[in-house]
Amino acid sequence: MKKICFIVAMQAEADPLIGHFGLKSLGAVFSPAPCHVFQGIYKDLEITLVTNGKDDGTGLDYVGCEAATLTAQLAIAHYCPDLVVNAGTAGGFASKGACVGDVYLSHKYIVFHDRRVGVPGWDRMGKGYYPCIDSDSLARSGGFKQGICTTGSSLDMIAEDAVQMQQTGGEIKDMEAAAIAWVAQLHHTPLLCVKSITDLVGAEKPTASQFRENLNMATRRLGEACFKIVDEYWADDRL
Ligand code: ADE
């Protein structure tokens, strides 16, 4: 049986997938790590979905690279999936043709944009350039855009981040993809990122209010995209 593992930061991003695939909560299987596991059989695929879990102090979902790294390591080592899908929301760039609600698939490689290590060799290592699967046919059949995912630890963006994005070609800005991609690469596990755009970076309206306003719509689109991708994965032996 083929196994897919979704790694998702926020519960709101995960809810449509848990409902559609009929996944059952297994709880905080890796406690004291905060991640939360959901699992089920859909068609004849074993689907595991792992969220980062919540911070006890604030009651909020953990976002960012530390939680994503921990979740990815535990999930991939334990469930040994054939494919990891990092599903989530992201910022896009109007200058690169992005619109709020667009769904992008990862493309070419995945990078960081806020690692400033000005030593030859380590500068490249800091950016990552981690592999992802060829998403061309999924993008064509599902009508999705494709873009280079770029990850940092902040929702906003400073000028130096923009310089790094110019160097790497990064165009889909999130807070987890590269961390997960690093772990997937260590395990030689194929990775696809599916990112739904909640906000346009550099728009007049602040990123945080765009994010809050568009989160529901973007998570619905994210879910619909993931349903199509799973059906395609199930039907296509080449994936
Ligand atoms: N998630 C959603 N929007 C984002 C942005 N602009 N930057 C980083 N992560 C995000």
Side-chain angles (χ1 to χ4, degrees):
M1 187 182 289
K2 286 200 282 192
K3 298 193 274 187
I4 299 183
C5 181
F6 284 93
I7 298 182
V8 182
M10 296 171 59
Q11 190 63 44
E13 295 165 331
D15 281 339
L17 302 177
I18 293 167
H20 182 82
F21 296 124
L23 308 182
K24 298 279 176 279
S25 170
L26 304 187
V29 170
F30 303 111
S31 176
C35 48
H36 197 120
V37 179
F38 301 82
Q39 207 171 44
I41 306 293
Y42 170 81
K43 301 194 173 172
D44 59 359
L45 295 171
E46 180 190 286
I47 300 188
T48 305
L49 184 152
V50 191
T51 60
N52 284 343
K54 289 183 195 292
D55 168 43
D56 280 343
T58 59
L60 298 174
D61 298 299
Y62 278 113
V63 294
C65 294
E66 294 81 0
T69 305
L70 185 59
T71 301
Q73 167 60 20
L74 291 166
I76 298 172
H78 192 80
Y79 298 110
C80 304
D82 299 297
L83 177 69
V84 169
V85 180
N86 170 220
T89 53
F93 291 83
S95 59
K96 299 192 175 195
C99 300
V100 168
D102 281 349
V103 175
Y104 279 80
L105 305 185
S106 49
H107 186 49
K108 293 185 183 166
Y109 49 76
I110 299 169
V111 285
F112 286 108
H113 58 251
D114 61 358
R115 306 282 152 101
R116 294 184 286 283
V117 190
V119 181
W122 276 317
D123 50 355
R124 188 179 168 92
M125 192 218 281
K127 290 188 177 70
Y129 290 98
Y130 305 118
C132 53
I133 65 167
D134 180 343
S135 61
D136 288 356
S137 70
L138 286 171
R140 253 195 318 274
S141 60
F144 306 121
K145 294 184 173 179
Q146 293 169 288
I148 295 171
C149 293
T150 180
T151 298
S153 293
S154 301
L155 189 66
D156 71 358
M157 190 175 87
I158 60 171
E160 178 58 24
D161 296 344
V163 169
Q164 293 204 24
M165 286 182 200
Q166 257 160 24
Q167 291 165 354
T168 59
E171 43 199 351
I172 310 303
K173 178 177 175 289
D174 87 331
M175 295 178 68
E176 289 90 17
I180 295 166
W182 175 58
V183 180
Q185 182 191 46
L186 294 177
H187 287 268
H188 307 287
T189 303
L191 169 85
L192 172 72
C193 300
V194 185
K195 297 283 165 176
S196 182
I197 303 298
T198 47
D199 53 85
L200 296 176
V201 181
E204 214 167 286
K205 195 177 253 191
T207 300
S209 37
Q210 294 183 63
F211 176 77
R212 279 197 303 268
E213 246 169 59
N214 298 320
L215 183 63
N216 271 347
M217 176 273 297
T219 53
R220 190 170 30 79
R221 298 242 174 122
L222 176 68
E224 288 161 4
C226 290
F227 310 156
K228 275 194 196 174
I229 288 164
V230 167
D231 285 342
E232 189 88 4
Y233 183 77
W234 173 77
D236 192 336
D237 281 341
R238 291 165 306 168
L239 292 171

